[in-house]
Structure formats: C-alpha cells, structure tokens
C-alpha cells in the first residue's frame, strides 16, 4: 500500500513519527548511558570495523575448512564465524542433549582444521553456547537441579519455556559460566562468545525459594545476568590478552549495555519465519508490514 493510500485509510501518522518519539525517550535511558559505540573505549574493534560477513552454525566438530576457505575467498574481507553447538565434550544439540556440569564440557571437540583455516585467513570465530541451559541429569546433577530457574506456570506467552534454564542469581551458574568462557578464550583462542536461548529469551524472574534472591522477578534478575556476563567477559579477555566480544541470539533493551552483538536467527526472513510465524501469512499477503524498529531506534 503506498503512502497516500495509507493516509487515506489510516491517517498520516507514519511509523517513523512514532519511532522518533520513542527514540527521543530511549536515548535518555540507562541502557544508552554509555553513549554510541563510536565513542566507547571498550569495544571489539575487529567486530565493528573489520568484519564484512558472518556465518552461523558451520559445524565445529568436523572438518569444514574448505567451506571456511571458500567463504573467505568469496568476500575477500574478514569473516566472523559463529561455529555450531556440537563442540563440547557432551555435544550440544537441538532437542537431543546438552552438557551438564563441568566434566561435560572439556576437552572441547573443535576440529583443528577449522580453527587453522580461520587463523590462516585472518578471520574470527565464536563458539555457540547454550550458556544458561544445563542438563539436570548430566554431571553435577544435584547442583544443577538445585540451581534450576523456577518460572510461573502461567506465562501468557507463545513460548512454553520448557528448556532447563539455570538461575544466574545462584552461585553455581556464574562460576561455571566464567570458568567455561575463560577456557574457551585462553585455551582454544575464541575471539568472541555466542549465547543461544539465553538471557534475552527468558522471563526476568525466578521463584525458587532456596536461591537467596527475591521471589518473583525484576531488575535484580537483569543485574544478575549482567554481573555474570561481565565476569565471564573479563575472565575471557584476560585469558586471551585481548577484548573478547559477547553476543546473544536476540537483544532486548535491558542488555544493550552488556552485549556486543546479536544474531537475529529468530527472524529468519525472507524465506522462512520463526518469531513471525503467527502472522507470516499476513506479511505474505501484504496485510501487514514488518518495521525495522530496533535498528531505527538504536543504529
């Protein structure tokens, strides 16, 4: 529908005008207090200034060096590879298993040919981590089960939150999180860390009465995730001797100050729909229009 037709049917308030109102408020909020990325001293310069292309999900545990070489040759620019989730000692998979406690993670199963190709090409990489999901029946099962995130039965969401989330306000998860990321950067040379089904995907609360935190939800949970991520980033960066970027599957405003990038896999358009599947037919029929609101506000 062209602009004049929209104005005829709905009036002339464009989404840009509403977004400009929101932006005027958003840029005064705590999550933008650090300023623009261009003015921030602590940032990943290779991620922001060098990378021209990114891949997602190339298997980590089998030789795909020829693929990685070809991606680099096509772009002739530094490539950022978020490798697949099957690198851990107990392989991370979708629906078929994930690691539990410490003994399930290392030694990592990265194929050395892949890492050698990335280094040879001057590219960068991150391991795919289900960073707040731990198998309650894996190693350290008793500790993992005690630290499980307790969510309300009624969630008023399409998402059932059936994953085995672990609470960041416990002592157990932050300690494992930091230990794991420190080893990934220090021993395996990861340039960045990627967290899937992570903080941006889950309700900001926990109702476990024995965790020592308030029952319910709120800003204290955001702060718990932020402290955990900050500690892991600091440990990983120290182990590598360079700034290690962090990213997540999605982004919400609460985590803008804490993450360096996000992977928008959950809106896998134009050939498929994930989060938009409930109104994908409307999009295809031209009844609704997707708006790049987040990019417009914060880019």
């Amino acid at each position: 529908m062209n602009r004049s037709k929209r104005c005829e049917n709905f009036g002339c308030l464009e989404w840009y005008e509403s977004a400009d109102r929101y932006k005027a408020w958003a840029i005064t909020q705590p999550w933008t207090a650090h300023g623009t990325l261009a003015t921030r001293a602590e940032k990943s310069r290779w991620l922001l200034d060098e990378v021209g292309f990114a891949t997602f999900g190339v298997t980590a545990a089998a030789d795909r060096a020829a693929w990685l070489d070809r991606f680099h040759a096509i772009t002739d620019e530094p490539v950022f590879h978020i490798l697949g989730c099957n690198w851990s000692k107990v392989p991370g998979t979708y629906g078929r298993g994930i690691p539990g406690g410490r003994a399930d993670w290392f030694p990592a199963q990265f194929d050395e040919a892949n890492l050698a190709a990335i280094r040879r090409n001057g590219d960068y990489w991150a391991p795919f981590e289900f960073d707040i999901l731990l198998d309650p029946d894996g190693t350290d099962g008793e500790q993992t089960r005690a630290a499980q995130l307790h969510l309300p039965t009624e969630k008023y969401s399409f998402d059932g939150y059936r994953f085995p989330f672990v609470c960041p306000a416990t002592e157990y998860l932050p300690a494992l999180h930091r230990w794991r990321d420190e080893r990934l950067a220090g021993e395996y040379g990861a340039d960045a860390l990627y967290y899937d089904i992570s903080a941006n995907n889950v309700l900001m609360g926990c109702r476990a009465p024995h965790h020592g935190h308030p029952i319910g939800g709120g800003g204290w949970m955001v702060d718990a995730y932020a402290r955990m991520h900050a500690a892991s980033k600091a440990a990983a960066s120290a182990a590598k001797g360079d700034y290690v970027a962090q990213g997540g599957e999605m982004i919400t405003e609460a985590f803008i100050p804490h993450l360096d990038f996000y992977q928008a896999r959950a809106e896998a358009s134009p050939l498929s729909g994930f989060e938009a599947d409930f109104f994908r037919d409307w999009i295809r029929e031209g009844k609704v229009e997707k708006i790049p609101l987040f990019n417009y506000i914060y880019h």
Side-chain angles (χ1 to χ4, degrees):
M1 186 184 295
N2 62 38
R3 189 182 193 282
S4 60
K5 190 66 174 177
R6 280 202 301 266
C7 287
E8 178 184 328
N9 290 347
F10 306 112
C12 287
L13 181 65
E14 290 282 314
W15 72 264
Y16 296 99
E17 297 171 64
S18 299
D20 285 336
R21 288 188 186 181
Y22 186 83
K23 183 170 186 173
W25 172 82
I27 61 176
T28 67
Q29 301 310 304
W31 56 83
T32 55
H34 294 292
T36 63
L37 281 172
T39 64
R40 291 169 62 175
E42 186 181 84
K43 63 183 179 181
S44 178
R45 297 192 180 278
W46 63 262
L47 178 66
L48 297 171
D49 301 334
E50 297 180 28
V51 166
F53 186 72
T55 70
F56 185 80
V58 174
T59 186
D63 184 352
R64 295 294 185 270
W67 293 15
L68 301 174
D69 286 339
R70 183 60 177 152
F71 284 129
H72 184 86
I74 290 170
T75 62
D76 197 30
E77 292 183 331
V79 180
F80 178 31
H81 299 287
I82 300 176
L83 299 180
C85 58
N86 62 344
W87 58 266
S88 48
K89 179 181 175 182
V90 174
T93 64
Y94 276 103
R96 295 191 301 278
I98 52 175
R102 295 193 180 203
D104 287 355
W105 289 93
F106 297 104
Q109 307 301 310
F110 297 111
D111 191 286
E112 182 53 38
N114 294 339
L115 301 188
I118 291 170
R119 289 191 293 266
R120 181 176 64 250
N121 292 327
D123 293 337
Y124 303 91
W125 70 280
F128 180 121
E129 301 176 58
F130 294 114
D131 74 313
I132 62 172
L133 306 181
L134 298 175
D135 183 357
D137 296 319
T139 60
D140 300 338
E142 184 176 346
Q143 292 172 280
T144 302
R145 288 188 292 272
Q148 289 296 136
L149 193 73
H150 289 208
L151 294 174
T153 302
E154 294 295 335
K155 302 176 185 67
Y156 307 102
S157 167
F158 291 120
D159 195 329
Y161 294 97
R162 297 183 181 90
F163 296 104
F165 293 105
V166 181
C167 179
T170 60
E171 293 183 5
Y172 179 73
L173 180 62
L176 185 147
H177 201 280
R178 174 176 175 159
W179 165 83
R180 178 181 55 204
D181 286 358
E182 184 176 29
R183 290 193 65 174
L184 284 166
E187 295 184 28
Y188 298 92
D191 301 295
L193 304 160
Y194 169 76
Y195 305 141
D196 203 269
I197 313 180
S198 188
N200 291 292
N201 302 64
V202 67
L203 296 172
M204 289 294 108
C206 178
R207 296 189 175 189
H210 56 285
H211 286 179
H213 57 60
I215 304 301
W220 60 267
M221 180 61 96
V222 175
D223 293 340
Y225 280 115
R227 287 193 302 270
M228 181 174 74
H229 289 161
S232 293
K233 179 185 285 187
S237 298
K240 187 175 177 64
D242 198 3
Y243 184 91
V244 175
Q246 286 176 316
E249 178 189 9
M250 298 161 60
I251 189 66
T252 58
E253 286 163 322
F255 294 98
I256 287 176
H258 310 296
L259 295 179
D260 299 277
F261 67 94
Y262 73 100
Q263 160 66 22
R265 182 196 62 79
E267 178 54 278
S269 297
L271 298 181
S272 63
F274 187 77
E275 300 294 351
D277 57 355
F278 299 102
F279 28 83
R280 185 175 178 225
D281 288 343
W282 293 354
I283 297 169
R284 296 177 66 180
E285 293 167 9
K287 296 178 179 178
V288 298
E289 179 181 358
K290 290 187 293 183
I291 294 171
L293 183 64
F294 189 90
N295 286 350
Y296 183 81
I297 300 295
Y298 293 108
H299 194 280

